[in-house]
């Protein structure tokens, strides 16, 4: 059937990210319906689906940007939303890349990258700056360390945002439509960086419609519609043999052009 | 005759300087205290706690909705009825600080609310504590919105300080009242009093205008 990672999930074994019967409402709207999903360490999962299907809400729950109503969500062995869980501490293990980058406009690229390592991880500034420069070089922005976000293109800003997350040496990286706000010619430079991060063995959940990326690095594609996981499988299975009408309709729309 | 009045006025210049000094000292102390308090209140006003926020909101509305003169009288004449004796200077400082804090609270709160949610979420996601988010991410960006009206508010508060003459503090306005009893030319005397205030306020007006221009042009590289 699907990957063994999915069928083997028993009570004794927990993934890096474990949704068990998670529900969430916005008012009367059930935005997450009984979500059960386990992501293994080093696994890359792509989440896709029509807009409003709950994809972003799903990954925003993982670092507590959204709260869940019921069910269990265990991340890196800690229950999200449990009063005993130190969410600030847990968040340092989770990088989050936003659709709109959300770089700090009053800080340079390097300052964006070093802010959390210096203030949260308490790494000495000189050391953090050295690591920050290396990270910016890694995402191809060695010459932009002192640039302010307003002086960078969208693609460059998003690469700084990824470097900012990597600066915390997280165990998990979450991407919320990282290329949706970009001009087409800038999408590949961001995807290249994401592929490199994936190949280093990062545990990743990526909300995206970039099917090339999914085929290249994802072990699993999760298709959501109306707040529920409708289908889940390897990229090959999902793209070549979608099992449900809804996923077929969705794929025909995004692959038409 | 005008010339004689002028000479007689020139003789009162030590008094005028004292009044100007009192206005400046009073304004300076209460603006510094009011700014600190105002920032604190503004941060609490936009913080998560509903109760604290609405208590501050109610107090700010009350202070903004009543005449400053009445507030000073309440502090100076009514508090002693409850056993709190204050000298005029302390009462003036308290009243002005409170007034400044209330106006500044609203300016700061508006600035904080103007920072996009995405900025707070990014700071939250990278594990910054509440204070670190405020200090490193929110406040520096809010300052762009806050600074021009803040300096403008300073000008208004310096002028409001003239009201403390009503409880007997010898500030610039009261010096005017004293002098006019000796030199019966109100127009001239209070014209000069006006000039005194203008000399104190004008640099601030210029500063506010410059800040407004710089904040509008800056691309985020605001140096505080």
């Amino acid at each position: 059937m699907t990957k063994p990672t999915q069928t083997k999930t028993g009570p004794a074994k927990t993934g890096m990210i474990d949704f068990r019967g998670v529900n969430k409402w916005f008012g009367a709207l059930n935005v997450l319906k009984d979500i059960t999903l386990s992501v293994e360490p080093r696994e890359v999962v792509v989440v896709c689906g029509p807009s409003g299907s709950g994809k972003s809400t799903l990954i925003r729950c993982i670092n507590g940007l959204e709260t869940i109503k019921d069910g269990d969500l265990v991340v890196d062995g800690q229950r999200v939303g449990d009063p005993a869980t130190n969410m600030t501490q847990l968040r340092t293990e989770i990088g989050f890349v936003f659709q709109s980058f959300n770089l700090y406009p009053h800080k340079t690229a390097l300052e964006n990258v070093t802010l959390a390592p210096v203030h949260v991880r308490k790494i000495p500034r000189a050391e953090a700056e050295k690591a920050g420069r290396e990270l910016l070089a890694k995402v191809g922005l060695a010459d932009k360390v002192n640039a302010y976000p307003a002086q960078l293109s969208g693609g460059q800003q998003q690469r700084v945002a990824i470097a900012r997350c990597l600066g915390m040496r997280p165990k998990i990286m979450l991407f919320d439509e990282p290329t949706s706000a970009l001009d087409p010619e800038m999408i590949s430079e961001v995807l290249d960086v994401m592929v490199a991060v994936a190949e280093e063995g990062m545990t990743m959940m990526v909300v995206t419609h970039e099917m090339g990326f999914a085929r290249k690095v994802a072990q699993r594609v999760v298709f959501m519609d109306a707040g529920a996981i409708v289908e889940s499988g390897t990229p090959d299975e999902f793209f070549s043999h979608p099992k449900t009408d809804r996923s077929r309709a969705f794929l025909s729309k995004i692959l038409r052009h | 005759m005008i010339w004689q009045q002028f000479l007689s006025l020139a003789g009162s210049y030590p008094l005028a300087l004292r009044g100007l000094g009192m206005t400046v000292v009073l304004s300076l102390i209460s603006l510094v205290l009011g700014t600190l308090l105002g920032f604190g209140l503004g941060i609490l006003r936009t913080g998560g706690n509903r109760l604290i926020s609405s208590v501050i909101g109610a107090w700010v509305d009350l202070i903004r909705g009543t005449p400053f003169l009445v507030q000073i009288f309440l502090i100076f004449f009514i508090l002693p009825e409850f056993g709190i004796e204050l000298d005029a200077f302390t009462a003036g400082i308290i009243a002005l600080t409170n007034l400044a804090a209330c106006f500044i609270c609203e300016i700061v709160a508006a600035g904080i609310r103007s920072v996009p949610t995405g900025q707070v979420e990014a700071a939250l996601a990278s594990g910054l504590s509440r204070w670190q988010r405020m200090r490193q991410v929110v406040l520096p960006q809010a300052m762009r919105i806050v600074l021009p009206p803040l300096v403008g508010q300073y000008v208004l508060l310096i002028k409001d300080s003239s009201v403390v003459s009503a409880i007997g503090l010898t500030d610039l306005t009261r010096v005017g009242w004293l002098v006019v009893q000796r030199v019966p030319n109100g127009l001239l005397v209070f014209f000069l009093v006006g000039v005194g205030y203008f000399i104190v306020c004008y640099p601030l007006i210029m500063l506010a205008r410059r800040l407004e221009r710089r904040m509008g042009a800056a691309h985020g590289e605001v140096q505080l």
Side-chain angles (χ1 to χ4, degrees):
Chain A
M1 225 188 91
T2 50
K3 290 201 53 112
T5 50
Q6 227 197 338
T7 47
K8 262 192 343 199
T9 311
K13 190 172 179 305
T14 57
M16 195 66 147
I17 305 168
D18 240 337
F19 287 88
R20 294 178 206 144
V22 168
N23 274 285
K24 179 176 176 61
W25 282 265
F26 284 142
L29 186 67
N30 195 186
V31 283
L32 290 180
K33 286 179 194 154
D34 206 20
I35 300 286
T36 296
L37 173 71
S38 179
V39 179
E40 300 297 309
R42 304 173 76 85
E43 193 180 11
V44 177
V45 174
V46 161
V47 183
C48 64
S51 66
S53 59
K55 320 174 287 272
S56 293
T57 309
L58 180 78
I59 67 164
R60 285 167 61 87
C61 287
I62 295 169
N63 70 347
L65 287 181
E66 304 282 353
T67 54
I68 60 175
K69 174 72 180 156
D70 60 41
D72 278 335
L73 172 52
V74 179
V75 178
D76 191 24
Q78 300 181 71
R79 277 184 50 154
V80 173
D82 190 320
T85 299
N86 181 344
M87 281 309 291
T88 307
Q89 204 283 322
L90 181 56
R91 283 182 182 121
T92 64
E93 308 295 344
I94 307 171
F96 197 101
V97 176
F98 297 86
Q99 180 177 352
S100 50
F101 330 133
N102 293 350
L103 291 182
Y104 309 128
H106 57 298
K107 294 190 182 291
T108 63
L110 184 60
E111 289 166 348
N112 264 278
V113 176
T114 57
L115 180 70
V118 168
H119 287 96
V120 179
R121 290 255 193 257
K122 309 292 182 199
I123 293 170
R125 187 172 293 275
E127 201 178 306
E129 284 185 356
K130 185 167 169 285
R133 282 174 202 281
E134 282 165 14
L135 278 169
L136 286 169
K138 191 173 148 189
V139 300
L141 293 171
D143 55 332
K144 299 289 185 191
V145 286
N146 293 319
Y148 286 92
Q151 298 163 330
L152 299 173
S153 72
Q156 290 170 332
Q157 288 190 54
Q158 195 60 299
R159 284 185 281 154
V160 173
I162 294 171
R164 175 171 71 177
C165 292
L166 293 174
M168 290 296 279
R169 309 203 167 284
K171 294 179 180 168
I172 298 167
M173 285 278 280
L174 306 172
F175 295 79
D176 187 5
E177 307 210 29
T179 57
S180 300
L182 297 176
D183 290 335
E185 74 269 22
M186 293 170 184
I187 290 177
S188 67
E189 68 189 48
V190 171
L191 290 178
D192 287 347
V193 169
M194 290 167 59
V195 169
V197 173
E199 282 170 350
E200 284 174 11
M202 181 67 73
T203 307
M204 286 166 62
M205 276 185 85
V206 184
V207 174
T208 186
H209 293 162
E210 294 296 334
M211 295 308 147
F213 172 81
R215 277 184 185 277
K216 197 164 179 180
V217 295
Q219 278 94 54
R220 194 149 39 118
V221 175
V222 169
F223 173 72
M224 288 183 75
D225 191 21
I229 293 179
V230 175
E231 196 170 329
S232 162
T234 65
D236 252 0
E237 285 172 341
F238 180 71
F239 294 122
S240 313
H241 312 287
K243 290 193 282 273
T244 60
D245 288 343
R246 278 189 285 181
S247 55
R248 274 191 289 272
F250 173 74
L251 283 171
S252 75
K253 269 180 209 146
I254 64 161
L255 298 177
R256 184 176 296 160
H257 301 289
Chain B
M1 182 178 133
I2 290 274
W3 182 240
Q4 272 180 339
Q5 288 181 345
F6 233 93
L7 286 180
S8 150
L9 273 178
S12 344
Y13 91 95
L15 187 62
L17 276 187
R18 235 183 78 202
L20 189 66
M22 172 59 86
T23 292
V24 168
V25 167
L26 200 65
S27 302
L28 199 66
I29 293 177
S30 50
L31 287 186
V32 169
L33 294 179
T35 302
L36 292 176
L37 193 59
F39 268 81
L41 291 176
I43 289 168
L44 288 175
R45 178 104 166 91
T46 51
N49 192 317
R50 284 253 178 89
L51 180 68
I52 291 177
S53 179
S54 49
V55 168
I56 293 172
W59 181 250
V60 167
D61 287 348
L62 189 70
I63 294 304
R64 295 213 298 181
T66 51
F68 185 47
L69 186 63
V70 173
Q71 295 166 19
I72 287 200
F73 281 165
L74 284 177
I75 290 173
F76 190 60
F77 296 121
I78 310 295
L79 281 188
E81 304 279 321
F82 298 94
I84 306 170
E85 291 278 1
L86 297 169
D87 60 88
F89 185 75
T90 312
I93 292 281
I94 289 175
L96 260 177
T97 298
N98 177 48
L99 185 72
C102 286
F103 279 102
I104 291 167
C105 165
E106 288 302 275
I107 293 172
V108 170
I112 289 174
R113 290 194 195 101
S114 77
V115 176
T117 337
Q119 290 293 315
V120 182
E121 287 187 347
L124 206 58
S126 59
L128 292 174
S129 68
R130 178 186 284 266
W131 169 242
Q132 289 169 334
R133 294 198 294 272
M134 195 45 83
R135 170 73 188 81
Q136 299 293 336
V137 177
V138 176
L139 278 185
Q141 296 184 63
M143 284 315 280
R144 287 174 56 108
I145 305 292
V146 166
L147 269 182
L150 180 67
V151 178
Q153 191 64 50
Y154 287 168
V155 174
L156 295 178
L157 288 163
I158 290 171
K159 293 190 293 178
D160 280 345
S161 76
S162 67
V163 177
V164 300
S165 59
I167 53 171
L169 276 178
T170 316
D171 74 330
L172 200 51
T173 304
R174 188 163 170 80
V175 167
W177 283 117
L178 293 175
V179 169
V180 88
Q181 284 163 23
R182 218 158 28 79
V183 184
N185 186 339
L187 185 63
L188 184 61
V189 169
F190 282 99
F191 171 77
L192 292 174
V193 167
V195 169
Y197 279 102
F198 188 72
I199 289 169
V200 178
C201 291
Y202 190 60
L204 284 174
I205 294 173
M206 294 300 283
L207 178 65
R209 191 171 301 154
R210 256 191 56 195
L211 284 172
E212 213 153 326
R213 228 178 294 139
R214 240 187 57 199
M215 296 298 158
H219 292 292
E221 59 267 43
V222 179
Q223 297 299 318
L224 292 180

